[in-house]
Amino acid sequence: MKDKIKVSIIIGTRPNLIKISPLLRKIKEDQSIELQFINTGQHYDYELDGIFIKELNLLEPVFLNIGSGTQGEQTGNGLIKIEKELIKFKPDISVVIGDTNSTLAGALASAKLNIPVAHIEAGLRSFDRKMPEEINRTVVDHISDMLFVPTENAIKNLKNEGILDEKIFFVQDISVDACLQNYEIAKKSEILKKLNVNNDFILVTLHRQENVDIKENLCNILDAIIEISKSREVIFPIHPRTLKNLKLFDIFENYSKKIKIIKPLGCFDFLKLLGCASCVVTDSGGIQKEALILKTPCVTTRTTTEWIETINLNANVLVGSDKEKIVEEVPKRSSKEFHKFMKKIKNPYGDGKASERIIKYIKNVWN
Ligand code: UDP
């Protein structure tokens, strides 16, 4: 029996920091685990990352400051810098989450040092290999030793790819833990008052490259939002990448006159808005699921999703960057009848105890 298990947790982006927070909270209370917490600082921005460490009261991470860059630069720089930290700390196991370049770099650095890798959110597939995230999640699953899967579908995907049963651990979805724990705190947020919005508003978030790097797609979506804003207030906390592109395409002035564009929000203020919105229009993976958990209808400006259960339950609809579809779906899904329907949907992602199960499995293997 070992005295302490040494665990390295490697993250690099805002959503993964939020999702890993329940695990970090659990580890904080657990004397049998010695933690190394690494934040690669992929796309680091205080408004996206720094604020959360403070807000969530998490351990300060080892910060690697890899910054932005091409897919290869980010993954490569992450690999070099993470490897150095792992060699220093010598963990018994590395834990990565999701599908970012930091997830890939962390898993690859560990696997090449013969450090076993645990992947949280394993087995998700959009089956769209054009998305860098799809490449990352597939590769990471194939070099991981413990695959913590959130859904039955994810198990099926892994088995179809020939991954052995003994590597697969069905723990349910850790983002349910994060969403439920953080929403309890978020209820106290004063953000609605601060923004002076009434109770019938649409929340918008956009940051995927297929939507915000292509001017035509970005304009289609924002033109739809302007149409919608004629009958309902719209709040758009803007991602730095989207803001940069609006300025680059020289269309920021035009849209900001018509849509309430605000800075990205802290996670508690954001969850409060999400819980109160009539509908959310988003291309974020995490928000599609959080919307279902908080019973807010979702319209997703993508053509595929790895959160297929939200679609099967009709809590969410895929509209791509199609202006007509957005203008049709948002009012329909904002109605009182649709909200009644949403209230009856049972969250398929779990009971909020995934982080407990993950710790239990890691301890079983390493004690
Ligand atoms: N989020 C936030 N503030 C914002 C926008 C999003 O706290 O202004 C949170 C949101 O609740 C979710 C996560 O950020 O937990 C989603 O991040 P993002 O949309 O960047 O990424 P994805 O889920 O697509 O990977």
Side-chain angles (χ1 to χ4, degrees):
M1 177 111 164
K2 287 186 71 158
D3 200 20
K4 276 193 185 244
I5 311 166
K6 294 178 84 174
V7 178
S8 290
I9 293 183
I10 304 151
I11 57 107
T13 60
R14 165 178 76 176
N16 287 345
L17 183 58
I18 295 175
K19 282 186 287 195
I20 206 81
S21 60
L23 197 66
L24 292 169
R25 284 186 187 122
K26 280 252 158 308
I27 290 179
K28 218 173 168 181
E29 299 159 2
D30 194 321
Q31 298 300 317
S32 67
I33 296 177
E34 188 182 344
L35 176 69
Q36 179 188 47
F37 178 35
I38 299 176
N39 182 356
T40 64
Q42 174 182 337
H43 296 306
Y44 184 79
D45 185 309
Y46 177 76
E47 278 158 358
L48 289 193
D49 282 282
I51 195 170
F52 292 113
I53 304 270
K54 217 172 103 214
E55 273 196 340
L56 297 167
N57 192 18
L58 302 177
L59 177 85
E60 273 300 324
V62 177
F63 185 63
L64 302 184
N65 202 15
I66 64 167
S68 47
T70 64
Q71 294 289 322
E73 279 165 354
Q74 260 187 351
T75 312
N77 288 336
L79 187 62
I80 294 166
K81 292 190 172 180
I82 293 167
E83 184 182 58
K84 290 199 175 98
E85 297 304 321
L86 294 175
I87 289 171
K88 270 192 249 163
F89 184 68
K90 299 190 182 60
D92 296 304
I93 185 163
S94 292
V95 179
V96 295
I97 179 164
D99 52 24
T100 65
N101 290 336
S102 303
T103 315
L104 177 60
L108 206 50
S110 306
K112 284 185 169 259
L113 290 169
N114 292 327
I115 299 164
V117 180
H119 184 205
I120 303 177
E121 285 196 341
L124 301 176
R125 297 290 180 268
S126 65
F127 302 101
D128 178 2
R129 282 276 168 103
K130 281 198 223 95
M131 290 173 75
E133 292 88 353
E134 182 77 352
I135 310 281
N136 292 343
R137 54 175 89 99
T138 310
V139 174
V140 171
D141 281 341
H142 284 260
I143 56 173
S144 292
D145 302 272
M146 298 181 88
L147 296 148
F148 292 127
V149 297
T151 61
E152 302 278 353
N153 265 330
I155 300 179
K156 243 193 276 164
N157 293 336
L158 291 177
K159 289 192 175 178
N160 284 343
E161 291 175 19
I163 297 208
L164 298 177
D165 281 358
E166 64 246 39
K167 289 188 176 178
I168 304 174
F169 300 85
F170 181 44
V171 293
Q172 303 188 9
D173 194 328
I174 196 167
S175 65
V176 179
D177 306 27
C179 185
L180 295 175
Q181 287 175 22
N182 293 336
Y183 194 62
E184 272 314 301
I185 305 170
K187 282 181 185 163
K188 298 189 201 95
S189 152
E190 300 275 316
I191 188 71
L192 286 170
K193 245 194 242 158
K194 222 157 109 189
L195 293 174
N196 196 19
V197 281
N198 63 30
N199 275 331
D200 189 6
F201 67 92
I202 308 297
L203 183 63
V204 179
T205 82
L206 291 175
H207 73 285
R208 296 257 159 197
Q209 68 185 44
E210 66 269 28
N211 285 329
V212 306
D213 289 4
I214 301 170
K215 187 178 173 191
E216 194 192 338
N217 293 350
L218 185 56
C219 288
N220 280 344
I221 298 169
L222 292 181
D223 288 343
I225 299 299
I226 286 181
E227 202 56 43
I228 291 161
S229 73
K230 290 178 185 158
S231 50
R232 274 193 177 87
E233 202 161 348
V234 173
I235 302 173
F236 183 16
I238 198 163
H239 192 281
R241 175 185 194 140
T242 314
L243 178 63
K244 192 183 99 205
N245 286 352
L246 279 176
K247 290 186 173 161
L248 194 77
F249 300 146
D250 205 16
I251 50 178
F252 177 73
E253 292 300 319
N254 180 27
Y255 286 113
S256 64
K257 270 189 225 137
K258 298 172 187 154
I259 304 171
K260 193 170 201 159
I261 298 181
I262 59 173
K263 282 185 176 177
L265 292 164
C267 79
F268 300 122
D269 285 342
F270 184 80
L271 276 186
K272 170 84 177 205
L273 283 187
L274 185 58
C276 297
S278 301
C279 182
V280 60
V281 179
T282 189
D283 58 10
S284 152
I287 294 170
Q288 294 173 54
K289 216 174 2 165
E290 288 172 347
L292 188 150
I293 296 165
L294 301 178
K295 315 271 182 201
T296 299
C298 184
V299 172
T300 297
T301 53
R302 286 170 54 183
T303 51
T304 56
T305 179
E306 53 286 10
W307 303 113
I308 195 70
E309 298 78 10
T310 63
I311 306 293
N312 294 343
L313 289 165
N314 196 23
N316 183 17
V317 62
L318 298 174
V319 291
S321 56
D322 185 325
K323 183 180 166 196
E324 267 73 53
K325 277 197 197 153
I326 301 170
V327 172
E328 185 193 325
E329 290 291 346
V330 173
K332 205 165 82 191
R333 285 170 188 264
S334 302
S335 69
K336 283 211 173 82
E337 293 69 51
F338 202 85
H339 275 253
K340 272 191 209 146
F341 162 76
M342 286 295 299
K343 291 262 174 314
K344 289 191 206 130
I345 294 179
K346 201 169 156 274
N347 155 24
Y349 292 113
D351 55 7
K353 294 190 174 135
S355 45
E356 263 172 50
R357 294 185 191 100
I358 290 170
I359 301 248
K360 191 183 89 195
Y361 285 129
I362 290 179
K363 281 184 165 179
N364 278 352
V365 172
W366 293 101
N367 265 336

